[in-house]
Amino acid sequence: MVQKYQSPVRVYKHPFELVMAAYERRFPTCHLIPMFVGSDVMDEETTEDGSTHRIERRCALDVDAPRLLKRIAGVDYVYFIQKNILNRKERTLHIESHNETFSNRVIIHETCCYSVHPENEDWTCFEQTASLDIKSFFGFESTVEKIAMKQYASSIKKGKEIIEFYLKQLEDEGITHVPRWAPSSLSLAVPRPNSLSASPPVLPKHLSMPADSLSPVADAKDGASLDLKQESSGLQADSLADILAGTPEDKLDADYIKRYLGDLTPLQESCLIRLRKWLQETHKGKIPKDEHILRFLRARDFNIDKAREILCQSLTWRKQHQVDYLLETWNSPQVLQDYYTGGWHHHDRDGRPLYILRLGQMDTKGLVRALGEESLLRHVLSINEEGLRRCEENTKVFGRPISCWTCLVDLEGLNMRHLWRPGVKALLRIIEVVEANYPETLGRLLILRAPRVFPVLWTLVSPFIDENTRKKFLIYAGNDYQGPGGLVDYIDKEIIPDFLGGECMCEVPEGGLVPKSMYRTSEELENEDVRLWTETIYQSASIFKGAPHELVIEIIDAGSVVTWDFDVCKGDIVFNIYHSKRAPQPPRKDALGAHGITSPGVNNVQLIDKTWTLGQDYSMVESSLTCKEGESVQGSHITRWPGFYVLQWKFHNMPACSATNLPRVDDVLATLQVSSHKCKVMFYTEVLGSEDFRGSMTSLESSHSGFSQLSAATTSSNHSQSSSMISR
């Protein structure tokens, strides 16, 4: 498996020429890079005007590996080839390195770049990307990979420290300025106090250690992805000039990560950047904020594939049920305002928002009978959305990353009536939805005054709670919370609620029994639940091999605009648009029977008659668009003629290799991953009059959905805009 690394942009608040002077000071030796043994110059070239200097080195590294492994491999040192191109005119240094030792077994490649900050010419950026592919290594592939990743992560941490060390050394020597390269003054530049020549002499062979290369060549990592094209989401225009001023808008800055996301290891930073980049490529436009992406990575121990899967499922869920607009659209029923014993209450000692739930005083049976399961779920979702908003606010207020909240649950009054089966069922459903869509949002759960019946409830619900979440639970029986190690360790004494012996008035309702007059019949609750959870502008459809899903739209006036917004939830599909003067016949009830598809509730409609001929009975008005699983696509088509337009989503068949009848390995693997040849899409379409449509008219170009609550502002896209967003 290929291991990839992309780091954020490291910014040195020093001019490029001064950083290059610090870079050169690492040679001939650097006590901060103990694994570097030495290097030889293999090739060197300088242009006539001195503006460009190219040098190739062969570097020896003493890799910290078990002696037995070195003996088996038969080497003491590992050699890397490093090529540097210093362009003094453009003020850039490009570094490329790859391994020479074991190059037929292990492939290591790294690119680094020093360049001038795009918004401040007196600052310098460092960017970096790397890959590691271990094909075979005497049966020690896993061990070698762990050693390589460990040493690489360690060296990345040192990178900026090394440059800063030599910058400080230059300052101590009185050198605070290096003149820029200029053709007329190239040969006249002479080092003087407080200055260094912009055209340094060619270094001897022993002064040629690559500064910031991957391979163990560069123990010093200043990190950042060279090809990263990303938004600096969540970038706040506050007064943190020293931290974020001038950060390139399309990249993640290391200082921004530390300020708003927390201390991440280099490999964790890489995972965030790579997943974020993937989302930008497949969900162009607005993407979730960095802190939200990070929550899903943490929930899956920074396994990118697993995090991407659950994140895409969650984003589709949010979009389908309009969760992003919940805070604006959800009006809490009066019965919840009176009898739901929960509410926000200041913050804990760590600055996390504090939510208090007096579960023991809550009439769960009465609430379920009066409201239904779905209304309770909507209310809990609105609480979580409010929690996300409060975390963002507290991050600004306290000047440090706050991505989760603390929940205090008071169980005084808990008894067997709380174990009413429908109530427990509703609780388990809520836990399941919250766990899937709000991972790593609970920082700590304080359970107070747990009664004897609590172990029974815990046995029922604990299997549905993630193991990492369970580790955050602190349970106190009786009045144990009042002593040392109790509530005061986590919450300031001044804000402990009055009902827990504190002096702070708490506005959380006291609850009580819900009057039976407010109970509703099971039929009423069922209809209400269906209405709440199916209130969405999106429809779902299943696509099978040989059975596409088709939707007909009748256009009366030419010039009207057909818009669409769909997400590919499963499999790969091909999207087409056709026009016909004839109205397609309504689908037969047994449309899927010929394909052996008899599953109830499957939405699959086929409208184009099998006897129709393309080019005669109907025509394709746009080129086909292939959409991969996880993509979210929006677009528009300006109709040229009245008639019937058919939007078609069909199963994507893997192309066979042209040179042979045998399928490619990649095709076979991809086919195996699509179980039962079934795909699924979630879509929304709308027809707008041409005078009502504003935005790009480019058809079938994807611009991808935004999420109002979770998305950060991003630059405008040249792609067609989402019709659903416009109509909203």
Side-chain angles (χ1 to χ4, degrees):
M1 180 179 178
V2 178
Q3 296 287 348
K4 295 183 178 180
Y5 174 79
Q6 290 180 313
S7 70
V9 179
R10 310 289 179 187
V11 177
Y12 298 100
K13 298 177 183 179
H14 301 278
F16 175 80
E17 290 73 20
L18 193 62
V19 172
M20 290 298 98
Y23 176 89
E24 294 163 12
R25 290 217 166 191
R26 302 181 179 192
F27 320 114
T29 59
C30 177
H31 67 280
L32 300 174
I33 312 176
M35 70 183 300
F36 174 60
V37 178
S39 63
D40 296 320
V41 175
M42 309 295 291
D43 188 26
E44 190 170 8
E45 179 185 1
T46 303
T47 56
E48 290 184 2
D49 61 359
S51 63
T52 304
H53 178 225
R54 299 180 178 87
I55 186 169
E56 180 176 337
R57 303 181 178 99
R58 185 171 185 261
C59 308
L61 301 165
D62 185 6
V63 179
D64 184 15
R67 186 172 182 82
L68 176 62
L69 185 60
K70 287 187 175 182
R71 292 187 63 181
I72 293 175
V75 298
D76 291 322
Y77 302 128
V78 177
Y79 291 90
F80 284 80
I81 302 299
Q82 186 220 32
K83 299 178 181 179
N84 285 12
I85 301 178
L86 174 62
N87 189 322
R88 300 186 180 98
K89 181 178 180 181
E90 300 295 334
R91 304 177 74 196
T92 60
L93 172 63
H94 290 280
I95 305 170
E96 288 192 16
S97 62
H98 66 272
N99 62 307
E100 181 184 70
T101 307
F102 302 120
S103 58
N104 61 331
R105 296 178 178 272
V106 180
I107 300 175
I108 300 176
H109 183 261
E110 181 186 56
T111 59
C112 308
C113 178
Y114 285 94
S115 60
V116 177
H117 195 288
E119 296 179 9
N120 189 330
E121 64 178 12
D122 290 328
W123 288 1
T124 305
C125 295
F126 178 82
E127 306 177 83
Q128 176 181 4
T129 182
S131 63
L132 168 67
D133 185 8
I134 301 177
K135 300 185 178 298
S136 65
F137 204 86
F138 312 107
F140 291 92
E141 292 80 10
S142 178
T143 302
V144 171
E145 180 178 294
K146 290 179 181 178
I147 291 173
M149 297 304 291
K150 180 180 179 181
Q151 293 200 1
Y152 188 49
S154 176
S155 64
I156 292 170
K157 282 187 173 182
K158 295 180 181 177
K160 192 169 184 178
E161 296 177 7
I162 295 174
I163 288 288
E164 296 286 0
F165 174 84
Y166 286 114
L167 285 169
K168 181 63 167 60
Q169 193 178 80
L170 287 168
E171 182 182 350
D172 292 342
E173 295 175 8
I175 301 173
T176 58
H177 174 71
V178 177
R180 297 183 187 179
W181 175 87
S184 60
S185 61
L186 180 65
S187 60
L188 302 177
V190 178
R192 60 185 184 276
N194 299 321
S195 177
L196 283 181
S197 170
S199 301
V202 177
L203 296 175
K205 294 182 180 180
H206 66 283
L207 301 184
S208 55
M209 166 60 184
D212 291 352
S213 288
L214 148 80
S215 20
V217 173
D219 245 42
K221 298 299 177 269
D222 302 32
S225 161
L226 184 61
D227 58 350
L228 192 56
K229 304 294 182 187
Q230 303 190 4
E231 284 291 329
S232 194
S233 340
L235 201 60
Q236 303 297 331
D238 52 19
S239 60
L240 302 173
D242 291 337
I243 295 180
L244 296 178
T247 300
E249 290 186 359
D250 63 337
K251 298 178 181 179
L252 283 182
D253 178 83
D255 291 332
Y256 156 78
I257 290 178
K258 186 174 182 179
R259 165 63 179 84
Y260 285 94
L261 304 179
D263 291 321
L264 304 179
T265 68
L267 297 183
Q268 289 173 346
E269 289 178 338
S270 174
C271 290
L272 171 62
I273 292 171
R274 289 164 56 197
L275 180 54
R276 191 176 186 273
K277 182 180 179 183
W278 181 85
L279 285 169
Q280 283 191 315
E281 292 172 350
T282 58
H283 291 68
K284 290 184 175 63
K286 291 184 177 181
I287 63 172
K289 293 179 181 177
D290 300 316
E291 53 265 39
H292 197 65
I293 300 174
L294 188 58
R295 289 185 181 104
F296 283 85
L297 282 168
R298 283 174 170 152
R300 291 298 179 267
D301 294 325
F302 287 87
N303 182 308
I304 289 184
D305 293 333
K306 293 181 179 179
R308 177 169 52 201
E309 180 181 357
I310 61 173
L311 177 57
C312 287
Q313 291 173 356
S314 178
L315 295 182
T316 301
W317 170 83
R318 295 183 67 88
K319 184 176 180 180
Q320 182 175 8
H321 299 295
Q322 302 290 284
V323 177
D324 293 297
Y325 307 98
L326 193 58
L327 290 179
E328 291 79 23
T329 60
W330 170 249
N331 294 316
S332 180
Q334 189 62 44
V335 65
L336 277 176
Q337 298 178 32
D338 294 338
Y339 295 99
Y340 189 88
T341 55
W344 294 100
H345 181 76
H346 301 284
H347 55 80
D348 68 5
R349 287 184 178 272
D350 296 322
R352 297 167 175 160
L354 175 62
Y355 189 83
I356 293 180
L357 180 65
R358 303 185 67 179
L359 185 59
Q361 304 299 315
M362 186 183 298
D363 181 9
T364 53
K365 179 178 180 179
L367 289 175
V368 172
R369 292 289 299 273
L371 293 170
E373 183 179 317
E374 298 303 333
S375 288
L376 281 176
L377 176 57
R378 283 284 174 121
H379 185 64
V380 173
L381 294 182
S382 70
I383 293 171
N384 280 270
E385 291 296 304
E386 175 66 16
L388 295 178
R389 188 189 66 80
R390 286 175 178 260
C391 285
E392 194 171 334
E393 285 185 355
N394 286 16
T395 295
K396 300 175 185 176
V397 171
F398 292 99
R400 60 177 181 273
I402 295 173
S403 61
C404 54
W405 52 83
T406 292
C407 185
L408 186 156
V409 180
D410 179 21
L411 295 183
E412 184 182 46
L414 189 76
N415 54 43
M416 293 302 294
R417 84 170 187 273
H418 291 89
L419 301 182
W420 180 58
R421 186 171 181 178
V424 173
K425 175 177 173 289
L427 176 61
L428 296 180
R429 166 82 190 289
I430 290 171
I431 291 174
E432 182 181 13
V433 173
V434 171
E435 281 282 314
N437 299 284
Y438 300 92
E440 297 298 315
T441 53
L442 182 64
R444 183 180 295 116
L445 180 65
L446 302 170
I447 299 176
L448 309 184
R449 302 197 278 196
R452 292 183 178 181
V453 74
F454 173 71
V456 180
L457 180 61
W458 178 249
T459 301
L460 292 173
V461 302
S462 60
F464 295 86
I465 301 174
D466 181 76
E467 182 180 355
N468 290 334
T469 303
R470 290 202 300 268
K471 293 177 181 178
K472 302 171 184 176
F473 286 28
L474 294 172
I475 303 173
Y476 299 90
N479 295 323
D480 293 347
Y481 69 92
Q482 295 178 346
L487 206 54
V488 291
D489 284 10
Y490 307 102
I491 302 174
D492 288 333
K493 184 177 180 180
E494 294 76 18
I495 64 171
I496 293 179
D498 52 348
F499 64 85
L500 293 176
E503 300 177 357
C504 185
M505 294 298 296
C506 184
E507 298 180 359
V508 174
E510 295 184 0
L513 295 176
V514 178
K516 291 187 178 181
S517 60
M518 305 182 76
Y519 286 11
R520 302 166 73 181
T521 65
S522 57
E523 291 78 11
E524 289 175 330
L525 290 176
E526 184 177 351
N527 292 335
E528 178 71 9
D529 287 352
V530 170
R531 184 188 68 79
L532 279 173
W533 212 238
T534 56
E535 257 185 0
T536 173
I537 60 176
Y538 293 91
Q539 302 178 54
S540 295
S542 297
I543 297 102
F544 303 87
K545 193 170 185 179
H549 179 74
E550 295 166 343
L551 175 72
V552 64
I553 298 175
E554 184 177 4
I555 297 296
I556 305 299
D557 301 318
S560 298
V561 180
V562 178
T563 66
W564 55 85
D565 175 6
F566 65 86
D567 289 77
V568 185
C569 305
K570 179 181 179 182
D572 299 343
I573 60 101
V574 177
F575 180 61
N576 295 308
I577 303 180
Y578 300 101
H579 171 263
S580 175
K581 296 180 180 179
R582 299 166 52 185
Q585 295 299 315
R588 299 192 305 271
K589 291 183 178 180
D590 60 344
L592 297 178
H595 303 280
I597 303 167
T598 58
S599 301
V602 171
N603 182 21
N604 180 281
V605 178
Q606 297 167 63
L607 298 170
I608 298 178
D609 196 293
K610 301 296 183 184
T611 62
W612 283 13
T613 302
L614 183 62
Q616 297 180 7
D617 300 292
Y618 68 110
S619 59
M620 182 180 289
V621 296
E622 293 283 358
S623 301
S624 297
L625 179 68
T626 301
C627 307
K628 300 294 184 180
E629 180 175 327
E631 288 190 348
S632 179
V633 182
Q634 294 81 41
S636 60
H637 173 76
I638 307 175
T639 60
R640 298 178 59 186
W641 315 280
F644 299 89
Y645 286 80
V646 178
L647 275 60
Q648 181 192 74
W649 294 267
K650 70 176 184 179
F651 187 90
H652 175 55
N653 293 305
M654 297 294 178
C657 183
S658 58
T660 175
N661 292 327
L662 295 176
R664 297 178 300 176
V665 174
D666 291 344
D667 296 340
V668 174
L669 293 176
T671 302
L672 292 175
Q673 293 173 353
V674 182
S675 60
S676 72
H677 302 290
K678 177 181 176 182
C679 300
K680 185 176 180 180
V681 296
M682 182 182 74
F683 65 91
Y684 167 74
T685 63
E686 186 174 0
V687 178
L688 303 174
S690 58
E691 67 279 3
D692 298 326
F693 189 86
R694 297 293 182 268
S696 170
M697 297 296 184
T698 306
S699 300
L700 282 174
E701 289 192 12
S702 62
S703 164
H704 297 262
S705 309
F707 305 92
S708 62
Q709 176 71 9
L710 295 178
S711 299
T714 57
T715 54
S716 59
S717 170
N718 290 327
H719 300 300
S720 55
Q721 301 298 308
S722 164
S723 60
S724 62
M725 296 172 70
I726 293 171
S727 62
R728 232 179 258 133

